[in-house]
Amino acid sequence: MAKKAVATFAAKAGAKSMVKCIRMEKSPKTGAYVFTEQLVEEGKAKEFFEKK
């Protein structure tokens, strides 16, 4: 089960639209779940969630 939250931010003139992506991963060390957050371009959000 993955947590997917995408928040959009206002883009200024000439700037690319960015989204905040949050992915839940299970830590191999402790077994606990950790959340990975990253700001990515809107078109690359799908690639962020495909990575492991």
Side-chain angles (χ1 to χ4, degrees):
M1 182 174 171
K3 178 179 179 180
K4 180 179 178 183
V6 178
T8 58
F9 298 95
K12 295 183 180 180
K16 294 184 179 182
S17 179
M18 302 291 281
V19 292
K20 181 178 182 179
C21 298
I22 303 170
R23 179 177 54 227
M24 184 172 73
E25 301 173 333
K26 193 167 189 175
S27 173
K29 208 177 213 183
T30 62
Y33 287 99
V34 293
F35 295 93
T36 305
E37 299 182 19
Q38 189 174 356
L39 283 174
V40 295
E41 293 177 18
E42 192 173 5
K44 295 184 179 181
K46 190 173 185 178
E47 294 173 14
F48 173 79
F49 290 109
E50 290 174 351
K51 287 189 229 172
K52 295 262 176 173

